[in-house]
Amino acid sequence: MTQSTKGPEAVQEAREELKRAALDYHEHPTPGKWAIVPTKALSNQRDLALAYSPGVAAPCEAIVEDPSAAARYTNRSNLVAIITNGTAVLGLGDIGPLAAKPVMEGKAVLFKKFAGIDAIDLEINEKDPEKLVEVIAALEPSFGGINLEDIKAPDCFLVERRLRERLKIPVFHDDQHGTAIVVAAALLNALTLTGKKIDAVKLVTAGAGAAALACLNLLVKLGLPKANIWVTDIAGVVYEGRTELMDPDKAQFAQKTVARTLAEVIEGADIFLGLSAGGVLKPEMVAKMAEKPIIFALANPTPEILPEAAKAVRPDAILATGRSDYPNQVNNVLCFPYLFRGALDVGATTITDEMEIAAVQAIAALAQAEENEVVAAAYAGEKLRFGPDYLIPKPFDPRLMLTIAPAVAQAAIASGVATRPIEDFDAYRERLQNFVYASGTLMKPVYAIAKRAKFKKIAYAEGEEERVLRAAQVVVDEGIARPVLIGRPAVIAQRIERFGLRLREGVDYEVVNVENDPRYRALWQEYHQIMERRGVTPQLAKIEMRRRHTLIGAMLLRHWEVHGLICGTWGVPTMHLNYIDQVIGKRPGATCYAAMNAILLPNRQLFLVDTHINNDPTAEQIAAITRMAARKMMRFGITPKAALLSHSNFGSSDAASAVKMREALKILREIAPWLEADGEMHGDLALDPTMRAELMPRSTLTGEANLLVLPNIDAANIAYNLLKTAAGNGIAIGPMLLGVLKPVHILTATSTVRRIVNMTALTVAEANVGPRAVEPTPPMSEIPFTTTE
């Protein structure tokens, strides 16, 4: 694990830059992190009459007659309140409710992004816990659940306990129970690896706040005897008779002992659980622990002991921290979104012990499950098999939703607290799966690969272009890639200064000098050899190798001088594809190239082909393109469901374009029998399985299609741009070039900085998953060339 080697000034500069970036992020383009968006049309007088007076009276009367009808007619069943009084915010302490609002807004965003739950942050200016309970309890009619956040101990215990007694909706203090669930899952797996039994181990804590005590209470429910637990805090050991900094929740773990310090009680301990402060666990203490010690040093940002320090004295130790740069990060995001998802979906009236234990067991079991290809790709180079460095799943594992939410829902039903029990769990899991891949998670594994990648040199053909330079700054700041800018060094440097960027040549990026590069001779000579029987003379090869930046990038990629190429921010795709085809070529088995775009819509992700390459593809080409697109989607961990679109519905027209799509389906079923697909069909039928079932009950496509195959470039490009602009907030990934041998993507003249960054991450990911070189092309240093200029 690489630690920072930057000096104090560089570290301070990085902190200031992060602070500026964070303030800018929160201010622009709209202050804050979330907004309310209507889910119903309000476009005419009738809509207004239905949404408000007089139509709104109907659902009101229905709820008066049956309160459970609120789940049908309002958003309550998917609405959570995130509530704080700001008395214990992150590492900031008692900063008050107003200053806590950015944190609560952030939690609301996590609920939405990870689990599709609408969350509203409520910052309450009340420190008296009894009064705070009254305020929160009065809000019960508005929400389906309450997430308490950043309330100081011991007040948080009283507040949660009283609310759970009074309210008929789930109340969950994530600082306590979210941490406890993830810790318990990791600890159960650590015990499995060491061969130790939970009822026979000695556990010592550093810290006795809300999180630590919740962890201990949950572990007791899982079988850890209280007699085996030794608690320490800032005042020392929690012992019988102690009065300093004591409360009833802490006192239940008091031991009858003369020991007063962590150093005294740590001897012979099997488990250390730290939720306190950095550096409190010393190497000499670790040396006194039992064989195969389990050390959870969860203080942030500095753990109670750094893993390398613990390993130095106890190589047999199993470690976890709260940090992402070490294995076994204990992160609440593994739990709370999915626990609430399961609880809300069955209308749970509370969070029971059984529901929490179900979440623990689901997380623990998922870590022991067979490696998932999406997670493996996201963490390329890391060992992701159950073991000392993989106790709990990674945050990007798409199976978290599909595992935890159903487990919690089933536990709620078994506990008797579900007001809307789920009858068909297979159908429920299918709905969850549809959400997982429509929630904006598409790029998360891709970015994770890029940040951990070994091969990161990405060439940008338009290296002088403003959007490319701005994207390069983001790419460098995020550690996604090492930009290689093709252009004139002086022009690039001038524009970097003009745009106020911080990029430094030789430090942050490299330049391919189109006016004077030492590889020029070798490049033009090889290009001439490739193209001499296609009309390219030596003189033309020299000229082309000076002026065609995409050609230069393609030649460098041919020899892995760079690991990927981004081009196309000006010009038309076919112009760039010409050089890519000449120099890089197609993948083995590919019969054509194609372009695929992904659009991230509010409730789904759609992939469209072919948007930019083939004007009027044949049936054979459409079948081949569909297969390539489906394979690419599978690399994102998405199960493709292809709809071959047309103006015709299952034979309703014999126009040439309809017949072509019909024939393409026949070919597709022969060359890709594994792919779920159907057609030809209208676009609405592709996205509406109910309508499709009515029209074509025996359709071979189930659920909503996510791969839309259009009959020609006009239809594909128009559909893509309309969807992107009207419904997708301009958020798109692509175009992704299909069929090419090496990582190359041709963008468009309208590509935004964000899209260039996304495509850079994708290009890096492709360069680091699977063999780098499909063909044995030597590096430039090994290419012989003549001495003739």
Side-chain angles (χ1 to χ4, degrees):
M1 196 63 56
T2 302
Q3 298 301 311
S4 175
T5 56
K6 295 179 181 178
E9 292 183 2
V11 171
Q12 182 60 33
E13 182 181 348
R15 288 175 178 169
E16 290 299 319
E17 174 59 27
L18 177 63
K19 180 178 178 179
R20 287 192 295 270
L23 291 174
D24 185 70
Y25 173 85
H26 281 77
E27 183 178 4
H28 302 290
T30 303
K33 292 195 280 285
W34 64 266
I36 293 175
V37 178
T39 61
K40 301 293 189 296
L42 289 168
S43 55
N44 53 47
Q45 183 61 38
R46 177 170 175 77
D47 290 342
L48 186 61
L50 293 173
Y52 199 55
S53 180
V56 75
C60 292
E61 292 167 349
I63 295 169
V64 169
E65 184 176 339
D66 177 10
S68 68
R72 296 178 58 191
Y73 302 123
T74 76
N75 65 1
R76 185 174 185 262
S77 63
N78 195 51
L79 188 62
V80 167
I82 303 169
I83 298 179
T84 189
N85 62 359
T87 53
V89 179
L90 293 173
L92 303 175
D94 187 355
I95 61 174
L98 182 60
K101 185 171 175 59
V103 181
M104 302 308 116
E105 286 187 0
K107 195 65 174 281
V109 170
L110 293 180
F111 267 108
K112 187 66 175 179
K113 284 295 183 182
F114 281 97
I117 295 171
D118 295 320
I120 293 178
D121 59 289
L122 298 175
E123 294 75 29
I124 298 176
N125 189 17
E126 181 56 73
K127 288 189 175 182
D128 184 320
E130 296 287 359
K131 293 181 179 178
L132 185 60
V133 168
E134 293 301 322
V135 173
I136 298 172
L139 297 170
E140 181 181 12
S142 295
F143 299 99
I146 302 289
N147 183 91
L148 301 174
E149 195 79 17
D150 293 349
I151 300 171
K152 71 176 183 179
D155 294 357
C156 59
F157 302 123
L158 182 147
V159 171
E160 184 189 55
R161 192 177 299 125
R162 296 284 175 81
L163 289 173
R164 285 193 170 188
E165 291 169 355
R166 293 177 58 172
L167 304 187
K168 295 301 182 184
I169 57 175
V171 178
F172 188 78
H173 186 205
D174 187 45
D175 297 333
Q176 294 183 61
H177 305 294
T179 303
I181 287 169
V182 181
V183 165
L187 186 56
L188 289 181
N189 279 344
L191 291 173
T192 297
L193 290 171
T194 59
K196 299 180 180 183
K197 303 295 184 183
I198 194 169
D199 59 357
V201 292
K202 176 183 178 181
L203 182 148
V204 175
T205 77
L213 294 178
C215 289
L216 296 180
N217 285 320
L218 184 55
L219 291 172
V220 168
K221 294 168 187 174
L222 289 167
L224 179 63
K226 282 188 178 180
N228 296 9
I229 297 173
W230 298 74
V231 177
T232 70
D233 61 10
I234 195 171
V237 175
V238 174
Y239 60 88
E240 287 187 5
R242 185 180 125 175
T243 58
E244 183 183 5
L245 297 177
M246 292 296 289
D247 58 70
D249 293 285
K250 190 186 300 184
Q252 64 176 315
F253 295 104
Q255 291 276 14
K256 188 175 183 179
T257 178
V258 296
R260 294 295 182 265
T261 66
L262 174 61
E264 291 177 89
V265 296
I266 196 70
E267 185 169 358
D270 298 281
I271 303 166
F272 169 82
L273 175 60
L275 286 152
S276 55
V280 302
L281 184 65
K282 308 300 182 184
E284 56 269 25
M285 299 180 190
V286 174
K288 296 191 296 183
M289 293 180 69
E291 181 184 1
K292 298 179 182 177
I294 299 168
I295 300 172
F296 283 15
L298 306 182
N300 259 326
T302 305
E304 284 79 2
I305 188 169
L306 290 172
E308 54 266 34
K311 284 284 190 180
V313 293
R314 293 302 299 271
D316 60 337
I318 294 178
L319 292 116
T321 70
R323 289 171 45 155
S324 61
D325 56 345
Y326 288 105
N328 300 323
Q329 182 192 19
V330 173
N331 189 332
N332 287 15
V333 79
L334 291 175
C335 167
F336 74 83
Y338 316 114
L339 183 140
F340 265 99
R341 181 73 279 158
L344 292 174
D345 288 342
V346 295
T349 57
T350 188
I351 302 290
T352 64
D353 291 346
E354 291 81 5
M355 293 163 71
E356 292 186 8
I357 292 172
V360 171
Q361 294 171 339
I363 295 171
L366 186 53
Q368 297 186 41
E370 183 178 348
E371 182 177 278
N372 177 270
E373 62 179 3
V374 181
V375 185
Y379 295 88
E382 292 190 27
K383 182 181 179 182
L384 296 183
R385 293 183 180 177
F386 179 57
D389 289 337
Y390 191 61
L391 298 176
I392 47 179
K394 295 289 188 179
F396 295 146
D397 195 326
R399 297 171 298 177
L400 287 165
M401 169 80 93
L402 308 178
T403 303
I404 299 172
V408 170
Q410 287 177 320
I413 295 169
S415 302
V417 298
T419 60
R420 299 188 304 276
I422 293 170
E423 296 181 0
D424 186 344
F425 267 88
D426 289 336
Y428 177 56
R429 290 186 180 91
E430 178 71 19
R431 291 199 303 274
L432 292 178
Q433 180 160 319
N434 289 338
F435 167 77
V436 166
Y437 296 113
S439 62
T441 60
L442 179 67
M443 288 301 296
K444 291 177 183 177
V446 174
Y447 273 90
I449 298 174
K451 290 182 179 182
R452 292 167 171 78
K454 178 181 179 182
F455 307 114
K456 301 171 79 80
K457 292 174 67 173
I458 302 301
Y460 296 86
E462 296 86 36
E464 300 175 1
E465 213 274 342
E466 179 179 358
R467 289 167 296 160
V468 170
L469 292 173
R470 292 192 182 280
Q473 183 70 71
V474 177
V475 162
V476 169
D477 289 343
E478 297 295 321
I480 294 168
R482 169 82 168 178
V484 178
L485 304 176
I486 301 174
R488 296 163 292 177
V491 173
I492 291 171
Q494 289 169 0
R495 292 181 177 178
I496 286 172
E497 183 177 2
R498 185 199 308 168
F499 303 145
L501 305 177
R502 294 169 282 103
L503 295 169
R504 297 163 295 172
E505 182 180 350
V507 178
D508 301 313
Y509 69 94
E510 301 173 19
V511 175
V512 177
N513 187 348
V514 296
E515 296 177 327
N516 183 25
D517 190 283
R519 294 165 291 194
Y520 171 68
R521 185 191 304 167
L523 291 175
W524 79 252
Q525 289 182 349
E526 185 180 6
Y527 179 59
H528 173 248
Q529 292 172 6
I530 295 169
M531 298 297 295
E532 63 182 340
R533 292 190 178 272
R534 294 170 66 182
V536 175
T537 64
Q539 189 61 34
L540 180 57
K542 290 180 183 181
I543 295 171
E544 292 286 83
M545 200 53 66
R546 288 284 191 202
R547 67 181 181 178
R548 304 300 185 188
H549 294 193
T550 295
L551 173 58
I552 296 170
M555 287 296 293
L556 294 175
L557 179 59
R558 177 181 172 88
H559 297 284
W560 293 119
E561 292 286 301
V562 295
H563 306 127
L565 172 64
I566 299 284
C567 59
T569 56
W570 65 268
V572 295
T574 51
M575 178 186 74
H576 299 275
L577 184 61
N578 177 53
Y579 297 109
I580 292 166
D581 182 52
Q582 292 173 357
V583 173
I584 302 298
K586 300 181 183 71
R587 283 183 172 274
T591 58
C592 62
Y593 299 102
M596 177 171 74
N597 278 277
I599 304 176
L600 278 60
L601 301 176
N603 60 345
R604 58 166 60 92
Q605 292 170 350
L606 294 177
F607 292 76
L608 285 78
V609 288
D610 170 18
T611 52
H612 291 89
I613 304 296
N614 298 285
N615 290 332
D616 188 13
T618 65
E620 291 78 9
Q621 288 177 320
I622 288 173
I625 290 167
T626 305
R627 180 174 62 176
M628 289 192 297
R631 293 285 189 192
K632 177 70 76 174
M633 290 175 63
M634 292 168 69
R635 294 297 294 272
F636 284 103
I638 299 174
T639 300
K641 296 190 175 189
L644 277 60
L645 301 187
S646 171
H647 73 280
S648 172
N649 246 343
F650 300 109
S652 64
S653 169
D654 284 328
S657 61
V659 172
K660 179 175 70 172
M661 300 306 281
R662 211 173 302 155
E663 183 63 25
L665 180 65
K666 294 179 183 178
I667 299 170
L668 184 62
R669 285 174 173 167
E670 293 176 1
I671 66 173
W674 47 268
L675 176 61
E676 187 175 328
D678 207 348
E680 78 284 10
M681 69 177 74
H682 287 179
D684 53 355
L685 263 64
L687 303 180
D688 189 335
T690 302
M691 187 187 304
R692 189 189 326 126
E694 292 176 359
L695 184 66
M696 181 57 64
R698 288 183 294 278
S699 173
T700 52
L701 179 65
T702 62
E704 299 177 4
N706 52 19
L707 173 56
L708 305 183
V709 184
L710 286 300
N712 56 50
I713 198 170
D714 290 329
N717 194 274
I718 291 169
Y720 159 66
N721 282 295
L722 285 175
L723 282 170
K724 177 188 68 175
T725 304
N729 296 315
I731 302 174
I733 301 167
M736 297 173 241
L737 184 58
L738 306 177
V740 68
L741 180 63
K742 294 189 177 185
V744 185
H745 293 292
I746 305 171
L747 305 188
T748 63
T750 59
S751 294
T752 62
V753 170
R754 180 175 183 179
R755 196 175 323 157
I756 295 170
V757 173
N758 278 340
M759 292 306 295
T760 300
L762 178 61
T763 307
V764 172
E766 290 173 339
N768 285 270
V769 177
R772 281 181 59 228
V774 180
E775 58 181 0
T777 310
M780 289 294 301
S781 59
E782 298 177 15
I783 301 175
F785 55 87
T786 68
T787 58
T788 304
E789 281 291 324

